[in-house]
Amino acid sequence: MLRLQAPLPDRYTLASPDDLASWIQAAKDVLGRRLLVLGHHYQRPEVIRWADLRGDSFKLAQWAAEHDEADTIVFCGVHFMAEAADVLTADHQHVILPDLNAGCSMADMADIDQVEEAWEEIAAITDIDRVVPITYMNSSAALKAFVGEHGGSVCTSSNARASLEWAFERGDRVLFFPDQHLGRNTGYQMGYDESNMRVWNPHRDLGGLDERDVKEAKILLWKGHCTVHQRFLPKHVEAFRAEHPGGEVIVHPECMHEVAELADKVGSTERILEWVTAAPAGSTLAIGTEIHMVQRLAVENPDKTVVSLDPLVCPCATMFRIDEPHLAWCLESLVDGHVVNQIAVDAHTTKWARVALERMLEIT
Ligand code: 13P
Ligand code: SF4
């Protein structure tokens, strides 16, 4: 998805790290409690150190809404997270994304036109009132609004199972987007297998399936994935176990099912944090998630050995777009009275996306 971030003025691109740090601190001092800087766990250390609160995508959006004394929320994360924060916050609060090009490649794998087209195709051959759409938090506000309007819900990686169980109390079939891996891993946890799950390819007619497949499937999995988590492979688990026979493997459910099956624990970003923190001193843990989070866990747990499951893993490139120059630029602009890079979701989308998010809260 094209989002245009204008190049920064030279003041920021040519600044030294010390200058940037002093400008960010000075702007934060001036703005005080009117400003809330939120940092996702995957942010780089130079950015996360400025965050007033750090967490996973859903916690951060909730905190933005709870801190209504802050009229400006600078969201150090990616686009869908800033949108969710805008949906959940009050009208007087502005949400800013320091670099507009910080998207999420997975969220961009399902757009509203494709989902509406899929819905119509499914409706042409099944009773659509018995199909419940569930979207992962990692999706645009437009998709959250779509599920809100069509009797579905949002889920996160920590409550995907509860959301699917809720969906099956209301219908016979689930259309799950955009992450096929989270959907498949959750389906397996619930006792489904490949015979009840089909992958819907939005680039093919009828998702690349035949009518019988669609009618037989309990879960239609959108053909989307996370480019970061999909890099973890069974061979990485095998190599770690060979080197550290007593070690533990913990992965995020965006990893492919073959990896999740081999892991000792599968859980969301927050769960991974809790498990690593609670592990006994001396533990050796291989983590299958974004590298900045893994490196931070290693630093914050010096009594344990915490490594990336894939020694060559690369960072989430879009999260990585948020840096100190962009942060300094948007904070100094605020001090000058300019709100830059505001993420504003329109009223209709906000209304229905909020319905879908509130449904998720009721479920869990
Ligand atoms: P969380 O919802 O756990 O913050 O994860 C977001 C994400 O992008 C995972 O890849
Ligand atoms: Fe999106 Fe994957 Fe990056 Fe998470 S890690 S923001 S799912 S691309």
Side-chain angles (χ1 to χ4, degrees):
M1 207 168 286
L2 185 66
R3 299 181 185 96
L4 289 178
Q5 177 63 56
L8 291 184
D10 286 352
R11 169 175 168 78
Y12 301 101
T13 52
L14 302 178
S16 70
D18 285 350
D19 281 344
L20 290 167
S22 70
W23 299 341
I24 291 170
Q25 188 60 62
K28 285 191 76 175
D29 291 345
V30 171
L31 295 164
R33 281 163 57 81
R34 284 170 41 218
L35 169 75
L36 181 67
V37 179
L38 298 176
H40 188 269
H41 290 304
Y42 295 172
Q43 289 290 308
R44 54 171 98 191
E46 310 89 277
V47 170
I48 203 88
R49 69 189 174 121
W50 298 109
D52 300 309
L53 296 169
R54 70 168 88 153
D56 67 357
S57 60
F58 187 65
K59 263 194 180 176
L60 291 173
Q62 272 185 315
W63 282 330
E66 281 165 19
H67 286 266
D68 62 355
E69 76 284 1
D71 52 29
T72 307
I73 288 119
V74 173
F75 207 123
C76 299
V78 291
H79 195 267
F80 76 82
M81 299 180 184
E83 277 192 330
D86 187 54
V87 165
L88 290 175
T89 45
D91 288 348
H92 69 278
Q93 294 177 288
H94 302 116
V95 178
I96 288 176
L97 183 64
D99 184 332
L100 293 178
N101 290 335
C104 161
S105 53
M106 175 207 283
D108 289 346
M109 287 177 197
D111 72 33
I112 185 65
D113 294 339
Q114 292 172 317
V115 168
E116 281 173 347
E117 203 177 304
W119 195 250
E120 278 169 26
E121 286 186 281
I122 298 166
I125 56 168
T126 64
D127 177 2
I128 201 69
D129 292 338
R130 302 294 301 160
V131 182
V132 182
I134 301 283
T135 192
Y136 185 23
M137 189 72 173
N138 295 31
S139 58
S140 67
L143 293 199
K144 293 184 178 82
F146 177 91
V147 303
E149 271 193 281
H150 292 83
S153 177
V154 179
C155 75
T156 69
S157 50
S158 46
N159 59 25
R161 180 171 183 164
S163 303
L164 284 189
E165 282 167 353
W166 172 89
F168 282 118
E169 284 163 18
R170 275 151 192 82
D172 306 321
R173 190 168 292 115
V174 167
L175 175 61
F176 187 92
F177 40 84
D179 184 22
Q180 60 170 302
H181 299 300
L182 176 63
R184 186 178 293 107
N185 284 324
T186 311
Y188 268 100
Q189 268 178 27
M190 294 169 69
Y192 296 107
D193 61 26
E194 291 298 327
S195 67
N196 328 102
M197 297 190 267
R198 297 283 189 287
V199 174
W200 181 279
N201 181 347
H203 303 291
R204 310 257 310 265
D205 289 340
L206 200 61
L209 301 171
D210 58 35
E211 275 195 38
R212 211 185 59 181
D213 279 331
V214 176
K215 287 177 176 157
E216 280 178 9
K218 298 296 287 176
I219 308 177
L220 288 165
L221 302 167
W222 196 265
K223 194 174 189 317
H225 64 270
C226 166
T227 43
V228 175
H229 289 92
Q230 197 169 270
R231 286 177 58 96
F232 297 104
L233 300 171
K235 71 173 183 188
H236 297 130
V237 181
E238 285 150 18
F240 173 77
R241 295 219 190 276
E243 204 180 331
H244 305 281
E248 200 175 7
V249 176
I250 303 178
V251 302
H252 193 279
E254 288 174 16
C255 293
M256 60 178 77
H257 183 62
E258 294 80 348
V259 173
E261 226 176 15
L262 291 174
D264 299 298
K265 292 190 173 109
V266 183
S268 64
T269 310
E270 285 293 325
R271 293 291 284 149
I272 293 174
L273 182 75
E274 287 162 17
W275 284 327
V276 174
T277 310
S283 307
T284 301
L285 308 163
I287 313 296
T289 195
E290 208 276 343
I291 191 67
H292 289 99
M293 173 159 168
V294 179
Q295 287 169 342
R296 191 167 308 118
L297 288 171
V299 170
E300 290 175 356
N301 291 271
D303 55 339
K304 302 158 205 174
T305 304
V306 181
V307 297
S308 171
L309 180 58
D310 172 5
L312 300 176
V313 78
C314 43
C316 171
T318 47
M319 285 273 181
F320 199 63
R321 297 197 74 100
I322 309 293
D323 56 11
E324 283 188 302
H326 284 87
L327 187 55
W329 168 68
C330 65
L331 293 183
E332 289 202 325
S333 301
L334 283 169
V335 171
D336 289 344
H338 307 301
V339 176
V340 292
N341 283 13
Q342 185 179 355
I343 303 301
V345 179
D346 68 76
H348 178 84
T349 308
T350 294
K351 174 183 157 187
W352 286 106
R354 192 175 281 176
V355 166
L357 285 161
E358 282 169 359
R359 247 177 226 147
M360 172 177 83
L361 286 177
E362 279 163 28
I363 294 168
T364 47

